[in-house]
């Protein structure tokens, strides 16, 4: 058994806390057993470990999210890297090519695909552990996991099974799939539930040969390195659209335990024990309302029921918990650059961004670098930077020259100057970028890890 954990999506539905660089699965908003806060990714990774399934699992994520993933799970986390965000079908196809051509997995091995944002309890993993046996005994090419709906939700896909069952196991049974419907409107969802439909959990089981044969039939490479280069050729489409709906022999296993997709503010709020995170307060007459505040200013909720207030440097959201469909439609049209980003070394927040009277662009950021971490060794061609150390201590490298820096120190970094900094203790900096153009692609990384950077300099 091999498990592919999908964790490369943009996950912007929890805006403004989530954005294109900090997807929802990395938000530390869930309470762990020891009382600390953990993300969706950390929760399910911990649960896989507790179920002795972690060693069978590889995490599929895109290159832009690699630093954040490694910060939460460690640099040794087993990752299958996508060159860019596309969708679940390309991610599963690329991961299958990796298992076949890099990991050397047998074509007869059962592969299980799981989303990272599933909120489940420990007994759920007994269902996962039983999937390989069910897949081997099934006459279907693709095995899905469904669960009984509790309401006609518009945020889930629906699986409509045939009335007859193929085989039976304790607590679950397999049925042929008659129809699959992706996120119907509420009225249609109600009719589907009356017809015996199940929610699609986004969990699939198949033999590795199933996906490898599909790639070959579509004229695509089956070797990871080559498919990675041609990743742009794969359609930006869901696994449901490209595989599930085009597979004739497909069946579903019903899981009767707790399952929830934490993809919206409503579902997330139902699994959070606290009513307030961050500065502010909620009045006693505000029933079922919650506050998530990442700003330094307090927010008060007074006399409002069943609402979510979320605030970050990217914006402020005030929404009824039942407005998920309207909110999702609104977020689809938003395409603003994130002002808050979590990075491998810490995080950054845009404080100000202006065009000066001279015509030059200027952006001011506040950076936090965690102790023992470093920024990459890099240079820019179209902008210069000025750093002011607010707190902490670190080692600065400027064109191969080392220097100790601390509170009050200022550093000027001209264009084309190689630079990096490593925090000895937690550091906070103000960074002012100025240039004719300030863009993410104006960066040349010469080294990532501190060992890599220092050994490179020693060689010079």
């Amino acid at each position: 058994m091999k498990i592919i954990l999908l964790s490369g999506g943009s996950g912007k539905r929890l805006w403004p806390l989530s954005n294109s660089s900090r997807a929802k699965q990395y938000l530390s908003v869930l309470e762990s057993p020891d009382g600390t806060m953990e993300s969706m990714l950390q929760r399910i990774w911990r649960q896989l470990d507790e179920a002795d399934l972690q060693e069978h699992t590889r995490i599929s994520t895109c290159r832009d999210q690699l630093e954040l993933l490694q910060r939460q799970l460690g640099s040794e986390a087993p990752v299958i890297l996508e060159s860019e965000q596309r969708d679940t079908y390309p991610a599963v196809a690329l991961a299958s090519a990796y298992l076949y051509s890099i990991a050397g997995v047998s074509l007869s091995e059962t592969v299980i695909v799981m989303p990272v944002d599933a909120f489940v309890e420990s007994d759920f993993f007994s269902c996962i552990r039983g999937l390989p046996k069910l897949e081997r005994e099934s006459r279907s090419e693709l095995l899905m996991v469904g669960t009984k709906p509790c309401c006609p939700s518009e945020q889930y896909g629906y699986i409509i099974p045939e009335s007859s069952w193929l085989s039976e196991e304790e607590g679950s049974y397999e049925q042929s799939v008659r129809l699959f419907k992706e996120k119907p409107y509420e009225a249609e969802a109600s009719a589907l539930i009356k017809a015996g439909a199940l929610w699609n959990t986004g969990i699939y089981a198949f033999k590795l040969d199933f996906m490898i044969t599909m790639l070959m039939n579509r004229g695509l490479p089956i070797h990871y390195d080559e498919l990675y280069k041609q990743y742009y050729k794969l359609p930006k489409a869901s696994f449901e659209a490209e595989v599930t709906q085009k597979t004739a022999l497909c069946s579903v296993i019903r899981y009767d335990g707790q399952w929830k997709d934490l993809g919206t503010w409503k579902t997330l709020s139902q699994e959070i024990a606290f009513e307030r995170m961050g500065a502010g307060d909620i009045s006693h007459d505000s029933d079922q309302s919650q506050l998530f505040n990442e700003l330094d200013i307090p927010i008060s909720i007074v006399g409002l029921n069943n609402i979510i207030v979320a605030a970050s440097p990217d914006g402020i959201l005030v929404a009824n918990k039942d407005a998920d469909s309207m909110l999702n439609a609104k977020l689809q049209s938003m395409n603003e650059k994130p002002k808050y980003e979590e990075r491998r070394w810490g995080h950054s927040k845009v404080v100000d961004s202006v065009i000066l009277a001279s015509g030059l662009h200027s952006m001011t950021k506040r950076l936090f670098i965690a102790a023992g971490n470093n920024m990459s060794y890099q240079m820019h061609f179209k902008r210069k930077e000025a750093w002011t150390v607010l707190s902490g201590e670190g080692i600065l490298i400027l064109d191969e020259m080392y220097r100790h820096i601390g509170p009050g120190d200022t550093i000027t970094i001209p264009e084309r100057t190689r630079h990096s900094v490593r925090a000895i203790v937690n550091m906070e900096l103000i960074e002012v970028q100025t240039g004719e153009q300030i863009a993410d692609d104006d960066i040349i990384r010469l080294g990532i890890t501190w060992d890599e950077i220092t050994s490179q300099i020693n060689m010079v």
Side-chain angles (χ1 to χ4, degrees):
M1 170 176 58
K2 299 297 178 184
I3 299 173
I4 301 171
L5 184 63
L6 299 178
S7 185
S10 60
K12 292 190 289 186
R13 285 187 293 174
L14 295 182
W15 182 89
L17 267 59
S18 64
N19 55 41
S20 58
S21 68
R22 184 175 59 157
K24 67 178 186 292
Q25 60 264 31
Y26 302 105
L27 297 176
S28 297
V29 293
L30 300 174
E31 189 173 356
S32 68
D34 63 6
T36 60
M37 304 306 292
E38 64 183 358
S39 67
M40 300 176 199
L41 172 65
Q42 290 170 319
R43 173 186 165 88
I44 201 162
W45 192 242
R46 170 178 56 78
Q47 289 178 312
L48 286 165
D49 184 37
E50 293 168 351
D52 294 325
L53 291 172
Q54 203 177 88
E55 63 178 314
H56 303 285
T57 306
R58 291 185 181 270
I59 308 166
S60 173
T61 193
C62 62
R63 180 173 292 279
D64 291 342
Q65 295 182 12
L66 179 60
E67 287 188 358
L68 185 49
L69 184 147
Q70 290 179 331
R71 183 182 173 195
Q72 293 200 351
L73 301 186
S75 59
E76 301 303 315
V79 171
I80 300 174
L81 204 59
E82 306 165 59
S83 56
E84 60 175 301
Q85 285 180 346
R86 294 196 70 78
D87 211 319
T88 52
Y89 164 66
V92 174
L94 187 64
S96 298
Y98 180 95
L99 294 176
Y100 170 70
S101 63
I102 302 296
V105 175
S106 168
L107 288 172
S108 62
E109 187 76 61
T110 299
V111 176
I112 299 170
V113 176
M114 287 182 58
V116 70
D117 54 1
F119 189 86
V120 294
E121 298 302 336
S122 57
D123 62 344
F124 171 81
F125 296 95
S126 297
C127 172
I128 296 299
R129 193 177 294 281
L131 284 178
K133 180 176 183 293
L134 294 173
E135 189 277 327
R136 288 192 300 270
E137 295 173 349
S138 175
R139 296 195 297 268
S140 298
E141 295 179 299
L142 181 66
L143 204 59
M144 308 171 69
V145 176
T147 189
K148 185 177 179 181
C150 65
C151 61
S153 172
E154 298 180 4
Q155 78 175 78
Y156 300 129
Y158 288 75
I159 305 167
I160 300 88
E162 300 284 2
S163 57
S164 60
W165 51 271
L166 302 178
S167 63
E168 189 166 1
E169 293 288 328
E170 184 179 352
S172 67
Y173 59 88
E174 177 186 356
Q175 292 175 286
S176 295
V177 173
R178 177 166 59 88
L179 180 67
F180 177 86
K181 187 69 177 181
E182 178 68 5
K183 298 179 180 177
Y185 289 113
E186 185 174 332
E188 185 178 4
S190 296
L192 292 173
I193 292 173
K194 290 179 181 178
L198 303 172
W199 277 342
N200 180 19
T201 65
I203 297 167
Y204 305 93
F206 50 83
K207 285 185 173 61
L208 180 57
D209 181 60
F210 171 72
M211 282 302 299
I212 297 301
T213 300
M214 182 179 294
L215 288 172
M216 294 173 64
N217 290 341
R218 296 186 179 190
L220 293 165
I222 59 174
H223 293 275
Y224 170 80
D225 292 338
E226 190 58 37
L227 188 58
Y228 182 90
K229 294 175 186 176
Q230 299 185 38
Y231 199 53
Y232 65 93
K233 292 183 178 180
L234 293 171
K236 277 190 173 183
S238 67
F239 189 84
E240 288 81 0
E242 282 296 312
V243 179
T244 305
Q245 297 185 38
K246 298 178 180 180
T247 301
L249 296 175
C250 185
S251 58
V252 61
I253 298 295
R254 191 182 73 200
Y255 171 67
D256 291 326
Q258 181 185 9
W259 174 89
K260 186 174 291 185
D261 176 355
L262 297 185
T264 67
W265 277 116
K266 180 178 181 179
T267 55
L268 178 63
S269 67
Q270 292 168 351
E271 302 304 332
I272 293 177
F274 54 86
E275 66 174 18
R276 177 179 62 83
M277 182 182 77
D281 58 80
I282 302 175
S283 66
H284 295 299
D285 60 345
S286 296
D287 188 40
Q288 299 297 315
S289 292
Q290 287 166 294
L291 170 64
F292 302 82
N293 186 10
E294 292 186 335
L295 301 178
D296 296 328
I297 57 174
I299 297 175
S300 294
I301 299 176
V302 180
L304 296 175
N305 299 327
N306 198 43
I307 67 164
I308 286 287
V309 177
S312 83
D314 284 335
I316 297 175
L317 169 71
V318 181
N320 189 286
K321 291 182 180 180
D322 296 322
D324 283 340
S325 58
M326 290 186 291
L327 178 58
N328 190 42
K330 172 69 175 175
L331 296 179
Q332 295 300 321
S333 63
M334 296 179 62
N335 195 29
E336 295 186 13
K337 179 177 171 58
K339 293 181 174 61
Y340 180 89
E341 296 182 284
E342 292 210 27
R343 308 298 295 275
R344 169 184 53 84
W345 40 262
H347 55 76
S348 69
K349 179 171 66 175
V350 175
V351 177
D352 186 53
S353 181
V354 297
I355 299 178
L356 304 174
S358 62
L360 293 177
H361 293 249
S362 177
M363 181 179 291
T364 303
K365 291 184 175 182
R366 186 167 184 148
L367 310 180
F368 170 83
I369 306 174
N373 288 270
N374 66 277
M375 299 175 67
S376 63
Y377 194 41
Q378 58 185 254
M379 60 188 295
H380 314 287
F381 290 94
K382 299 177 182 178
R383 70 174 185 253
K384 63 181 180 180
E385 296 178 351
W387 293 353
T388 300
V389 182
L390 300 178
S391 63
E393 299 177 47
I395 302 296
L396 171 74
I397 301 179
L398 211 59
D399 279 343
E400 283 76 59
M401 300 296 292
Y402 292 81
R403 173 184 162 190
H404 182 276
I405 56 175
D409 287 342
T410 58
I411 302 99
T412 300
I413 305 170
E415 296 171 354
R416 301 174 183 267
T417 300
R418 299 175 296 279
H419 59 281
S420 177
V421 62
R422 182 175 190 266
I424 299 172
V425 296
N426 288 347
M427 292 186 69
E428 285 192 285
L429 314 173
I430 292 293
E431 175 185 87
V432 180
Q433 305 174 0
T434 309
E436 294 181 3
Q437 179 181 341
I438 297 175
D440 292 337
D441 58 1
D442 180 27
I443 179 171
I444 303 296
R445 289 187 172 87
L446 306 169
I448 303 296
T449 68
W450 193 248
D451 287 343
E452 181 184 3
I453 295 168
T454 52
S455 62
Q456 179 184 142
I457 292 173
N458 290 338
M459 288 177 63
V460 174

